[in-house]
Amino acid sequence: MYQLGMPCVDARLHEIGVEEKDAKPPRAKPEPKEARDHTEAREIYQAYLQKVQELEAHQVYAEQVARATAGRGQTPVRPLATMGTDGGPLLCDHCGKPIVLEGGQFHGKTADEAWRVNSSPNWTSWILGGLVVEIQVNGTLRIYHGYPGRTNHCCNVASRERAKACAEVKSNPGAEKQSMILAFLEHEFPDMTRNERLGLLSKILGTLYSYDPGIGINRPSRGS
């Protein structure tokens, strides 16, 4: 029924009984994004944490030995004789033999053999044939006889072997895997900055996928 010549309308002011031709269909709700599966990346991250934990005691030990044997000129005898595995002598990581002293009463004697006779805490000595103390890329200790640059000395033989082994390792796990790990880190650590996550990613890749020199023969204990 029309009143005053005006059509009847509904609450939206559309004329009753007239089809709304230009009406737009209701907007569809966007489909929810499928959650990314982080299972593999989480396993990689857990392997990284386990590796870090395994290396920690050896890294602390390496720093202690490096500090104890540091310095110019003569080398303290005590760490050479007592800072090896389970308190034994430090051994060459290439040939497996103790360090030999040079000069004086104990010339040609190994450090541990001489220490049993003279255990003066401040005793220093020259080293017969040279001594190299190294900390590897994974933070673990290496002890070698010899002088750098002399072909057949233990330190240089080991260096060549290490360079060859390193060259044979494929250190890049691939862009897809890196992206997968980074996505996991973004999900797991939302409060980290991008640079912090990239730094953590670099540590994970370096620890799990780069050349691993392993752990040397000198250790805090036989069980480590």
Side-chain angles (χ1 to χ4, degrees):
M1 178 179 178
Y2 288 83
Q3 297 178 354
L4 302 177
M6 301 294 290
C8 292
V9 296
D10 60 19
R12 293 183 299 167
L13 301 182
H14 294 152
E15 187 174 353
I16 297 174
V18 178
E19 184 178 352
E20 188 176 353
K21 295 181 180 180
D22 297 330
K24 295 181 180 180
R27 181 178 296 177
K29 294 183 178 180
E31 291 290 330
K33 290 184 178 180
E34 185 177 350
R36 184 163 184 170
D37 184 1
H38 296 295
T39 301
E40 183 180 355
R42 181 171 282 105
E43 290 174 351
I44 291 172
Y45 181 66
Q46 290 301 320
Y48 160 74
L49 293 180
Q50 182 177 344
K51 189 71 172 179
V52 168
Q53 185 177 15
E54 289 172 355
L55 288 173
E56 184 177 8
H58 297 281
Q59 292 168 342
V60 171
Y61 169 69
E63 292 290 345
Q64 290 172 342
V65 173
R67 285 196 301 269
T69 57
R72 293 180 175 273
Q74 294 184 331
T75 302
V77 176
R78 182 175 184 174
L80 301 179
T82 66
M83 290 192 75
T85 306
D86 287 333
L90 290 170
L91 305 177
C92 174
D93 275 87
H94 178 67
C95 71
K97 297 178 181 179
I99 305 304
V100 181
L101 307 184
E102 178 181 10
Q105 177 186 354
F106 298 100
H107 178 81
K109 301 291 186 182
T110 62
D112 58 314
E113 183 182 9
W115 184 256
R116 284 194 290 270
V117 178
N118 177 23
S119 56
S120 174
N122 298 319
W123 181 24
T124 60
S125 174
W126 298 110
I127 305 302
L128 187 62
L131 167 69
V132 173
V133 178
E134 289 183 351
I135 294 181
Q136 301 297 294
V137 293
N138 65 352
T140 62
L141 178 71
R142 296 298 184 277
I143 299 291
Y144 297 113
H145 294 115
Y147 294 99
R150 299 189 185 180
T151 305
N152 294 323
H153 287 200
C154 290
C155 59
N156 299 300
V157 176
S159 180
R160 291 193 298 270
E161 292 175 350
R162 183 167 59 248
K164 181 181 178 182
C166 186
E168 293 173 352
V169 173
K170 181 182 178 182
S171 61
N172 189 336
E176 184 177 349
K177 183 161 287 189
Q178 293 186 45
S179 176
M180 175 188 70
I181 298 171
L182 186 58
F184 164 74
L185 297 179
E186 290 170 350
H187 173 267
E188 197 76 1
F189 305 107
D191 294 334
M192 277 189 179
T193 66
R194 177 169 176 78
N195 284 341
E196 288 172 336
R197 283 193 289 266
L198 289 174
L200 179 54
L201 174 64
S202 179
K203 290 179 180 178
I204 293 170
L205 299 179
T207 300
L208 297 181
Y209 298 99
S210 294
Y211 166 68
D212 183 3
I215 298 171
I217 63 175
N218 298 289
R219 306 182 176 199
S221 65
R222 296 186 189 281
S224 61

